[in-house]
Amino acid sequence: MSILFTITGILFALLIAFLFSFNKKAIDFKKPFIMIIIQVLLVLFMMHTTIGLTILTTLGSFFEGLIKISNAGINFVFGDLQNNNGSTFFLNVLLPLVFISVLIGILNHFKILPFIIKYVGYLINKITRMGRLESYFAISTSMLGQPEVFLTIKEMIPKLSRAKLYTISTSAMSAVSMAMLGSYMQMLEPKFVVTAVMLNIFSALIVASIINPYPTSNQEDDLSHMKNLELSAGSNETTVNKAKRTPFFQMIGDSAIDGFKIAITVAIMLLAFISLMEAITLIFHLIGLNFKQLIGYIFAPIAFIIGVPWSEAVQAGSIMATKLITNEFVAMLDFQKIADELSTRTQGIISVYLISFANFGTVGIIVGAIKGINSDQGNKVASFALRLLLGATLASIISASMIGLVL
């Protein structure tokens, strides 16, 4: 049955992608087929082999260690403000982003992260043939996140075709940055978080290759200038490393501030969205309806198609819809409240589904980020905003279906 629901989930996503394709006749089905095979092998390796499970456990322990280290600074600065008998979301989940952002800044400073991005992107392109830029961007988003990742191709954005803009935007919505992993791992099972990050790289490209097919040409993608870019996590500025380089301790300070900005931004969004959800819930309650249950019924068929047992489909569907309407953090908080009531299979599928930025708010962030670099290109992205949201959501469905194969 696991295999059957994995197939139905993937076929459902591919069918919807095909129906909304910009150019059905140009689709090269060999590309998504190859990437689906890679995902199957990846899931089986990570979840069903000793080496794979060891990697997942090690990465989970690594990020747990980072959280504990970050708590030293948090405890010193905030001291008695902490809730010693409970958990304060901002202090325990969001503020560790500051320390993790500093680590990413260090990896950037010593050219370790750019090295990984360059050669992993090169390998992905050799396998998928999606194009050098598309492959580079797919791996970059899983390292840097958005909107920061758009700055690494700042000079190229004005020259990109509408088709390439769609592909890179889909990758930006489907991937999550390393800086966020520690926060996610405090709310979801670490092994699902790590696996989802890897699956999403290919899921975004699979959907893009169907909704947005076009012949790729590596010659038009001049990535040579990227070797000179130095980007701090969360930074709003890109600097070209020519005569001088940002001093190490200045980079540390900038990265820490950038991480704090991300934490504050997420906190503000949560304040707004959770309050908005509560207001909507109360309004529906006044007319005798349960809003979360209602949206759960709408998404229940999709939850069932990707492998969630029908008895749990409404609850799972409610979480899926919440993520789309608000963001992944709001959905994770709701998911934590009901996770113990759900089967292990449902917990795994929904956990993987939640690891992406596929929501209405992110569309606005991406449009704004590209518009800030080039107004005309930003307008192009705005013109296919809903199809972009659809593509990113379908990518999450593919990843969630894939993890069901081993649950």
Side-chain angles (χ1 to χ4, degrees):
M1 290 297 288
S2 296
I3 297 176
L4 175 62
F5 280 112
T6 295
I7 293 173
T8 58
I10 292 173
L11 287 179
F12 169 77
L14 296 183
L15 175 60
I16 299 300
F18 178 79
L19 292 176
F20 286 89
S21 176
F22 289 113
N23 187 358
K24 296 180 177 64
K25 294 181 179 180
I27 298 174
D28 180 2
F29 287 100
K30 183 180 178 181
K31 290 180 180 179
F33 178 76
I34 291 173
M35 287 185 279
I36 288 172
I37 295 299
I38 292 172
Q39 285 187 314
V40 170
L41 296 176
L42 188 60
V43 165
L44 293 177
F45 171 73
M46 296 302 293
M47 303 292 289
H48 267 192
T49 67
T50 303
I51 298 176
L53 290 171
T54 301
I55 292 173
L56 291 176
T57 303
T58 302
L59 287 172
S61 299
F62 172 73
F63 277 97
E64 286 177 2
L66 293 183
I67 298 300
K68 290 180 180 178
I69 293 172
S70 68
N71 284 337
I74 295 171
N75 292 337
F76 178 81
V77 173
F78 291 94
D80 293 337
L81 289 176
Q82 289 204 78
N83 181 5
N84 294 322
N85 296 318
S87 176
T88 304
F89 187 84
F90 181 73
L91 297 180
N92 298 93
V93 177
L94 296 183
L95 275 190
L97 285 169
V98 176
F99 177 62
I100 295 176
S101 180
V102 169
L103 288 184
I104 294 174
I106 293 173
L107 292 175
N108 264 320
H109 187 79
F110 291 107
K111 306 301 181 183
I112 297 172
L113 201 57
F115 178 84
I116 294 173
I117 291 172
K118 177 181 178 180
Y119 287 101
V120 174
Y122 175 82
L123 179 62
I124 290 175
N125 179 46
K126 284 295 182 182
I127 296 172
T128 65
R129 298 295 178 183
M130 285 294 294
R132 287 169 57 191
L133 172 65
E134 292 83 349
S135 300
Y136 161 85
F137 204 85
I139 188 64
S140 295
T141 51
S142 65
M143 298 285 185
L144 301 174
Q146 50 79 23
E148 297 80 22
V149 70
F150 290 107
L151 295 174
T152 67
I153 58 169
K154 185 177 179 181
E155 289 104 344
M156 296 182 66
I157 283 180
K159 307 171 188 176
L160 294 182
S161 65
R162 190 171 185 270
K164 286 182 179 288
L165 282 172
Y166 180 90
T167 299
I168 65 171
S169 297
T170 301
S171 287
M173 287 192 68
S174 300
V176 295
S177 67
M178 287 196 307
M180 306 298 293
L181 295 189
S183 298
Y184 291 155
M185 286 181 183
Q186 294 183 76
M187 307 174 74
L188 303 173
E189 186 71 31
K191 65 181 180 181
F192 294 129
V193 176
V194 176
T195 305
V197 170
M198 292 185 286
L199 288 176
N200 285 345
I201 293 172
F202 294 101
S203 294
L205 293 177
I206 288 170
V207 172
S209 69
I210 295 177
I211 290 184
N212 181 50
Y214 56 88
T216 56
S217 173
N218 291 329
Q219 294 179 350
E220 65 186 85
D221 297 333
D222 180 13
L223 307 182
S224 59
H225 71 280
M226 292 178 185
K227 65 184 178 182
N228 293 324
L229 292 181
E230 184 176 304
L231 181 69
S232 298
S235 175
N236 288 320
E237 294 183 0
T238 303
T239 59
V240 179
N241 181 11
K242 292 181 179 178
K244 62 180 182 178
R245 189 179 182 186
T246 303
F248 180 77
F249 288 103
Q250 179 183 332
M251 176 275 299
I252 294 290
D254 291 344
S255 297
I257 292 172
D258 292 335
F260 187 70
K261 287 178 181 178
I262 295 173
I264 290 294
T265 300
V266 172
I268 292 172
M269 290 176 66
L270 288 175
L271 282 172
F273 280 121
I274 291 177
S275 298
L276 180 61
M277 286 289 288
E278 183 65 20
I280 294 173
T281 300
L282 288 174
I283 292 172
F284 273 77
H285 181 71
L286 292 176
I287 57 177
L289 296 174
N290 185 319
F291 176 69
K292 291 187 177 181
Q293 188 177 51
L294 182 63
I295 60 177
Y297 281 120
I298 295 173
F299 272 73
I302 299 177
F304 178 70
I305 287 172
I306 65 177
V308 173
W310 183 250
S311 60
E312 301 172 346
V314 174
Q315 289 175 295
S318 176
I319 301 299
M320 294 169 68
T322 298
K323 179 202 172 189
L324 178 66
I325 297 170
T326 57
N327 60 42
E328 74 280 7
F329 273 112
V330 178
M332 287 177 192
L333 289 170
D334 284 350
F335 180 57
Q336 283 185 313
K337 298 174 185 177
I338 65 170
D340 292 339
E341 304 172 15
L342 304 175
S343 64
T344 302
R345 178 177 176 81
T346 299
Q347 289 180 30
I349 290 173
I350 297 304
S351 293
V352 171
Y353 179 86
L354 293 178
I355 305 298
S356 82
F357 295 137
N359 57 68
F360 283 99
T362 303
V363 174
I365 293 173
I366 290 177
V367 171
I370 295 179
K371 200 175 183 67
I373 296 172
N374 184 278
S375 180
D376 290 340
Q377 297 293 66
N379 291 335
K380 289 180 183 178
V381 176
S383 70
F384 53 65
L386 290 180
R387 207 171 305 205
L388 176 60
L389 179 61
L390 173 66
T393 302
L394 293 177
S396 294
I397 288 175
I398 291 175
S399 295
S401 301
M402 197 61 70
I403 198 66
L405 187 65
V406 293
L407 296 176

